[in-house]
Structures are given as C-alpha cells and as structure tokens.
C-alpha cells in the first residue's frame, strides 16, 4: 500500500472470499464481477480494505476464475479447489498468512457495501475487549432469515445459532450474524485445522470457530454494523437493491464535497467518479466510470459521460454524450445533442449544436457549427481530424479524416473537406448554386397535366 500504518497500529491482513459460483445470478459472468456503480462489486470491498492499509491481502477464488484474478490484480489470489464452505476457503489462504502476526479480517466479495469505518469498528472492539474473535452484527427489520448472535450477561458472544436450529426464545433475538469476522491470527490457524464437516452440507463453516474459541476459554465479541453494509448479493434483484443504496451514498458524498445536484435521485454516479467543488449537475445525468470533473463545471440535464476529463468552468449539455478518451478544456461549451469521442477540445472552444466529433483535436476558441461531423471511419480504420485554434467551422460541414485545418481558418457552411486547409484560409467545398427561372410553374403544370391524364 502507498501509505504507511501507524507504528502503534496492530498489523492487519484481509482475506476476501470470492469463490462462489453465483448460480442465482443466471450469468456467465462471475458474481463478484457484476458491476455496482460502474465498478465490479469486489472492487468496492478491495477499496474498503485498502483504507485500512493491510500488510497482506488475499482473494480466495475457485478454479477457472482467471477473470476475477485479472480484476483484482495486483492483489494475490489463491484457489479453493472445491466449494467446501467458508472455513475451507479461509484455510486455502493460510499460506498467505505465514509468519504474520496481527488481526485477520475475513469478508466477502459479494458484500460490496461494507465501509472502512465499519471494518475499523471490528478492530476497535478487539482492542477494547481483547477478544480472539469479533463478529459483525446487525439488527434487520426482519431477522427471520439470519443466524442469531447469542450473548451472555457480560455481552460476550457465546454462539451463532441458525434460524432452523433456534429455539423460540432465540428467534426473538434481533441481533443477527453479518458474516464478517476478525480473528487473532495466532489462534486462527489452529481453529481452522479443528473444523469439522459433520453437517448436512458436509462443509466446513468458519462460524464454527466461535464454538472452538468458547471451548478454549477465549473471549468472543460483536461489533454492530448498519444493515446495508453486510448486505450480500446473490441475485440480480439484490444487485439492483444494492445499486440504489450505493447511489444514495455516492450522491450524498458528492454534495457534501461541494457539488450541487438539482434532482439527486435522477443522477447516477460511478464509484470512481472524481467531482470537484462548485460543480452543478442537472437532472437525469449519468456519470459513468473514469470521469474527472474539475471545479466550477456545469453538467446540464440528460447528459451521459464516460471516461472523460472535464476542465474547470466548462459547460456540458443538455443532452450531450461524452465518450471515452475525451478531454474537454477549461471554459469549453459542449451543447445539446453533441457527441464527443476520443477527442481533445481546447480551452473556450464551442460545439453547441447537433454535432459528432470523433478522434479529433480542436484548438482553443474554435467554433464548430451545427451539424458538423468528423468522418473518422472508412470502414476499415479510424483516422484523426486536427483543427487549430480560433477556427470557424460553418454549419453542416463534413471533415473527412485524416485532415487538418490550420489556425484561424474558416470553412464555409455545407462544405465537405477532404484536403488540408492552411492557416487563415477560407475553404469552401460545395457545388455552385444554380437558379432556374420559372422552373416551379413549369414543374407544377407538368404534374397537373400528368394527373389529369390519369383521371381521364
């Protein structure tokens, strides 16, 4: 990790379980790679862990899950050969903990709403109680589907009871198991070796470590978390619910950091969006992955942005689409129904109406007229258009790439430009207008005569 931990902080390792097949997603894409706020859900878990600056981090995957390994790189992945339960999954990562002494947090790649603050709460609880295990607890409105956390009179965790095994008194308990667990690394390896699979599924459950710890006289504790932070995703319905929660979180973060959202519930933000202060975002705006928005930018209604950088003071939209690889210069105006792709738009340039600019460089203070198109594709390859500074491109112009227009040049409206236009030059490339006198009357008379002949 780039930063360094406090010398007084307990060393930390994180193990993220991501070996599940996710069959209920009905998808060829591994479950933890389904996007949430434009980012694979497991990346959210990695980012939460990264804030704690762990000394070690490993992701447990199943066989033939190379796509997950690529998505989490450069973090180390270990393979759980068979799906034999959470305890077996953590056991597969034991090699990554060799020689490590400190706290070990085990969490899930399909629970992407967890925050670094809640993970810190697990560490804080361990420091306060000296517990060998700290379990994340939560209090849902409907606890019936979840395992209950059983506490003694001193508030120590003594057992985790699944709903099917719970007595009526235990089912009345509102404190439920959130799944995330923190272990004393010095004791975890021993308990993993003692886990048994004498249950209906013949699996090794990590939660059975609680009973082993209690039997050994070790203290176990609970750190409570908000319900949404332990939300696991198993279906696309649950993914949609998580998206709604994540969007609310991202909108609040953007507004608290100085952005104005005119109608927050209609704005969709990617998790990696970087938004400056005094930014104004209108309704029905989508800010996709890889977007950087500088200070004092205005994004008007119904815009769609993805992998683009917008410099200070630019105005975008309404109804503009900015596609990957584009940079919009300071003070530039990109207007309604304008599409920009893989292009550099210079400072104070204007492209205000109904245009497509793809694979192009537009100089400072250049004005692109309505209906202008850069014809960048010949059916086989894409080519670049280079337009200099303070150029005027007339309306309804086609620029057939590769082509250059020099600084200060003018291009007449309706032109199709196929050759270089030198600086400070007027280019007009269109057929000469011809007016035919009395043509309209003759044409109408001929048409009337033809219709009359048919009627007779």
């Amino acid at each position: 990790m780039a930063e360094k931990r406090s010398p007084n902080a307990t060393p930390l390792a994180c193990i993220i379980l991501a070996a599940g097949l996710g069959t209920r997603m009905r998808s060829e894409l591994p479950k933890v790679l389904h996007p949430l706020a434009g980012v694979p859900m497991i990346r959210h878990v990695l980012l939460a862990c990264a804030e704690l600056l762990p000394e070690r981090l490993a992701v447990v995957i199943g066989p033939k899950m190379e796509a997950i390994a690529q998505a989490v790189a450069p973090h180390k992945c270990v393979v759980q050969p068979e799906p034999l339960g959470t305890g077996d999954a953590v056991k597969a990562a034991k090699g990554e903990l060799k020689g490590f002494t400190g706290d070990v947090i085990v969490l899930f790649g399909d629970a992407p709403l967890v925050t670094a603050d809640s993970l810190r709460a697990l560490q804080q609880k361990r420091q306060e109680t000296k517990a060998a295990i700290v379990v994340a607890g939560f209090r849902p409105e409907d606890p019936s589907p979840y395992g209950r956390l059983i506490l003694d009179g001193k508030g120590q965790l003594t057992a985790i009871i699944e709903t099917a095994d719970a007595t009526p008194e235990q089912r009345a308990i509102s404190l439920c198991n959130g799944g995330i667990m923190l272990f004393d690394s010095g004791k975890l390896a021993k308990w993993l070796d003692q886990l048994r699979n004498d249950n209906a599924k013949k699996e090794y459950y990590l939660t059975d470590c609680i009973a082993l710890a209690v039997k050994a006289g070790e203290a176990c504790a609970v750190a409570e978390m908000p319900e949404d932070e332990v939300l696991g995703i198993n279906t696309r319905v649950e993914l949609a619910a998580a998206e709604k929660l994540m969007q609310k979180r991202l909108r609040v973060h953007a507004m608290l950091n100085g952005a104005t959202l005119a109608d927050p519930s209609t704005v969709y933000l990617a998790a990696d969006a970087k938004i400056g202060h005094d930014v104004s975002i209108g309704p029905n705006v989508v800010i996709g992955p890889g977007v950087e928005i500088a200070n004092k930018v205005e994004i008007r209604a119904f815009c769609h942005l993805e992998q683009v950088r917008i410099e200070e003071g630019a105005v975008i939209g309404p109804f503009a689409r900015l596609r990957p690889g584009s940079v919009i210069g300071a003070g530039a105006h990109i207007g309604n129904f304008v599409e920009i792709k893989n292009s550099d738009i210079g400072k104070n340039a204007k492209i205000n109406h109904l245009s497509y600019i793809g694979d192009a460089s537009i100089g400072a203070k250049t004005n692109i007229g309505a209906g202008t198109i850069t014809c960048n594709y010949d059916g086989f390859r894409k080519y670049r258009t280079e337009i200099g500074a303070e150029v005027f491109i007339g309306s309804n112009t086609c620029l057939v790439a590769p082509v250059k227009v020099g600084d200060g040049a003018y291009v007449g409206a309706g032109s199709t430009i196929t050759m270089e236009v030198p600086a400070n030059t007027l280019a007009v490339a269109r057929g000469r207008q011809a007016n035919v006198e009395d043509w309209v009357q003759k044409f109408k008379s001929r048409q009337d005569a033809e219709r009359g002949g048919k009627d007779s």
Side-chain angles (χ1 to χ4, degrees):
M1 304 298 171
E3 300 179 46
K4 292 184 178 180
R5 293 175 57 83
S6 166
N8 298 321
T10 302
L12 176 67
C14 294
I15 299 175
I16 301 173
L17 306 188
L21 297 176
T23 54
R24 283 185 282 172
M25 297 295 286
R26 305 288 185 183
S27 175
E28 295 180 5
L29 185 69
K31 177 170 65 170
V32 298
L33 297 187
H34 279 261
L36 182 70
V39 180
M41 67 172 81
I42 195 170
R43 295 295 304 178
H44 294 278
V45 183
L46 289 168
L47 289 171
C49 291
E51 288 192 41
L52 276 63
L53 306 176
E55 292 185 5
R56 304 190 190 186
L57 190 151
V59 179
V60 181
I61 61 176
K64 299 181 180 180
M65 288 186 171
E66 292 82 3
I68 298 177
Q70 293 175 7
V72 304
H75 300 295
K76 181 70 179 291
C77 285
V78 295
V79 177
Q80 181 188 16
E82 296 182 70
L84 298 178
T86 53
D88 183 71
V90 176
K91 195 171 183 178
K94 277 178 62 177
E96 300 305 310
L97 299 176
K98 187 175 181 180
F100 175 78
T101 301
D103 293 342
V104 179
I105 294 180
V106 179
L107 60 172
F108 300 91
D110 63 357
L113 293 171
V114 66
T115 64
D117 286 343
S118 286
L119 296 181
R120 291 189 188 98
L122 294 173
Q123 292 181 291
Q124 183 64 33
K125 179 64 72 170
R126 173 158 152 71
Q127 291 174 5
E128 294 172 354
T129 63
K130 309 303 179 185
I133 303 176
V134 181
V135 175
F138 72 110
R139 298 182 186 274
E141 290 185 14
D142 177 16
S144 59
Y146 305 104
R148 307 305 202 279
L149 300 181
I150 310 302
L151 307 182
D152 65 14
K154 297 180 180 178
Q156 291 191 5
L157 178 64
T158 59
I160 300 177
I161 304 295
E162 297 302 322
T163 294
D165 302 322
T167 66
E169 292 77 12
Q170 290 169 336
R171 290 194 188 100
I173 295 171
S174 63
L175 184 61
C176 297
N177 177 25
I180 302 170
M181 302 177 73
L182 181 149
F183 294 87
D184 178 338
S185 65
K187 301 177 175 67
L188 174 60
K190 177 179 64 175
W191 291 330
L192 290 174
D193 290 336
Q194 293 175 4
L195 292 176
R196 299 170 62 88
N197 67 341
D198 49 356
N199 52 66
K201 291 187 177 181
K202 297 298 180 182
E203 292 184 354
Y204 299 90
Y205 297 134
L206 189 62
T207 50
D208 287 347
C209 289
I210 299 296
L212 295 173
V214 171
K215 184 177 179 181
E218 299 286 353
C220 299
V222 174
E224 292 195 38
M225 294 184 179
E227 180 179 359
D228 62 353
E229 295 199 27
V230 298
L231 177 68
I233 296 173
N234 295 298
T235 68
R236 294 177 193 260
V237 173
E238 292 170 346
L239 181 64
E243 181 73 41
K244 185 174 182 179
L245 292 168
M246 179 62 77
Q247 286 301 324
K248 183 177 180 180
R249 184 185 295 179
L250 293 172
R251 293 163 188 151
V252 169
H253 178 78
M255 289 186 286
L256 291 177
N257 280 275
T260 295
L261 276 58
D263 187 359
S265 65
T266 68
V267 175
Y268 286 82
L269 303 170
D272 63 352
K274 298 178 180 178
I275 303 174
H277 62 75
D278 293 318
V279 170
S280 174
I281 301 176
N284 297 291
V285 169
V286 176
I287 297 177
V291 173
E292 298 181 24
I293 302 174
N295 300 335
K296 301 179 181 179
V297 168
E298 181 180 0
I299 311 292
R300 293 173 176 168
F302 291 97
C303 290
H304 191 287
L305 288 60
E306 187 174 0
Q307 294 181 29
V308 59
R309 188 173 80 246
I310 304 173
E311 303 291 355
E312 184 167 330
V315 178
I316 311 298
F319 295 97
R321 184 184 182 197
L322 306 186
R323 291 172 58 193
S326 297
V327 177
I328 311 301
H333 286 207
I334 308 298
N336 50 289
F337 303 104
V338 173
E339 180 178 352
I340 310 290
K341 190 271 289 186
N342 192 33
S343 297
D344 299 321
I345 310 302
K347 182 177 181 180
N348 294 322
K350 293 182 179 180
I351 312 171
N352 278 328
H353 319 282
L354 305 162
S355 297
Y356 170 69
I357 305 297
D359 301 298
S361 299
I362 310 295
K365 297 183 179 180
T366 284
N367 187 90
I368 306 294
T372 295
I373 297 173
T374 57
C375 306
N376 55 330
Y377 184 52
D378 66 359
F380 296 94
R381 295 183 179 87
K382 293 188 177 180
Y383 301 91
R384 198 156 186 88
T385 298
E386 298 181 19
I387 300 175
E390 299 187 46
V391 172
F392 180 88
I393 304 293
S395 297
N396 200 36
T397 293
C398 293
L399 298 147
V400 183
V403 69
K404 295 182 180 180
V405 179
D407 293 345
Y410 269 58
V411 174
S415 294
T416 297
I417 302 298
T418 60
M419 298 183 296
E420 180 174 352
V421 180
N424 301 309
T425 299
L426 170 64
V428 181
R430 60 186 181 224
R432 184 177 296 276
Q433 180 174 325
N435 296 335
V436 180
E437 295 183 2
D438 301 323
W439 179 89
V440 174
Q441 186 59 44
K442 293 176 182 178
F443 175 76
K444 287 182 176 180
S445 297
R446 186 166 62 249
Q447 295 299 315
D448 289 343
E450 289 179 0
R451 284 196 298 271
K454 291 179 181 179
D455 293 341
S456 63

